[in-house]
Amino acid sequence: MTTVETDESFGGVTPDAARRLLLGAVQAFAERGFHATTTRDIAGRAGMSPAALYIHYKTKEELLFHISRVGHERSVAVLEEAVEGVADSGERLARAVRAFVRWHAEHHTTARVVQYELAALEAEHYERIVVLRRRSEEILRGVLEDGVAVGAFDIADIRGTALAVMSLCIDVARWFSPAGRRTPDEIGALYADLALRMAGHRGAASR
């Protein structure tokens, strides 16, 4: 199971010290929440001194912004990759949901911070993250709109359904545990089937 220590979402962050600080912040924010976490706690988890943190990040909030940006960019990419080149509407929705759920389960520690600490961001940073969140919603809404257009889905409220599907997927990060009964793939398959039912699709999700 992927853990925050090996989360490839942060693989492109350089130098190594900056990446270690991000990973330490993810752990601390997930366990204690943003406001209860100190810069000393973050630096300690990264194996560094508190003074070293400010070489790479001006504030604790800047760390949270970088975590949120990387996490949201990766989750958007996951959705885009899932639906690319897929013609069948039911399969597109199923693939999108399976991939989105799997990412939130496999990266549940990072995803909890990314999805549930947004209120701690400064206004400018918050607006930049909201743009990425809207992109995820737009992808799901586009899949539903295309399905309705070709008669594959029967949806009275496309926007509301897209938000509901997105919320289901995101909430996996809140409760998922590697020690739980279901694997990320199994949860993804279950939620894909639920999403297809919500969309009024008569077929079952492809496995």
Side-chain angles (χ1 to χ4, degrees):
M1 188 65 61
T2 302
T3 65
V4 65
E5 292 85 354
T6 58
D7 190 339
E8 76 280 1
S9 301
F10 299 98
V13 177
T14 58
D16 179 67
R19 184 181 63 82
R20 284 161 51 202
L21 285 165
L22 281 180
L23 294 175
V26 167
Q27 293 176 318
F29 294 157
E31 291 177 15
R32 307 184 63 182
F34 175 82
H35 294 292
T37 296
T38 65
T39 54
R40 181 177 295 277
D41 186 21
I42 294 169
R45 290 169 187 263
M48 302 166 67
S49 69
L53 185 149
Y54 297 106
I55 296 174
H56 303 283
Y57 302 98
K58 295 178 182 178
T59 64
K60 183 176 69 168
E61 189 274 343
E62 186 177 347
L63 270 166
L64 177 61
F65 169 65
H66 281 285
I67 292 167
S68 297
R69 179 182 56 78
V70 171
H72 277 89
E73 286 176 348
R74 184 60 198 138
S75 61
V76 167
V78 163
L79 278 173
E80 290 176 337
E81 292 164 6
V83 302
E84 185 178 1
V86 181
D88 181 78
S89 296
E91 182 61 15
R92 288 183 78 208
L93 178 58
R95 288 194 183 194
V97 170
R98 283 200 300 266
F100 207 44
V101 165
R102 188 166 54 243
W103 188 87
H104 282 83
E106 291 178 342
H107 304 83
H108 56 96
T109 304
T110 299
R112 275 200 299 273
V113 176
V114 167
Q115 301 293 356
Y116 295 109
E117 293 288 350
L118 287 176
L121 290 172
E122 295 178 356
E124 180 182 350
H125 286 163
Y126 179 83
E127 289 303 318
R128 291 173 64 180
I129 297 303
V130 165
V131 171
L132 292 171
R133 290 178 73 85
R134 286 174 181 158
R135 176 58 186 150
S136 293
E137 181 192 339
E138 287 168 1
I139 294 169
L140 285 172
R141 189 169 66 243
V143 171
L144 297 178
E145 287 172 344
D146 291 345
V148 169
V150 299
F153 300 149
D154 181 13
I155 305 173
D157 183 348
I158 293 176
R159 179 176 175 80
T161 302
L163 287 171
V165 171
M166 187 172 173
S167 296
L168 276 175
C169 296
I170 287 172
D171 196 54
V172 170
R174 182 181 58 79
W175 57 262
F176 179 80
S177 169
R181 185 168 59 89
R182 295 181 188 270
T183 67
D185 283 332
E186 289 171 340
I187 299 168
L190 171 64
Y191 277 40
D193 185 66
L194 291 173
L196 287 170
R197 293 173 187 273
M198 290 170 66
H201 187 265
R202 293 183 180 276
S206 299
R207 297 293 189 261

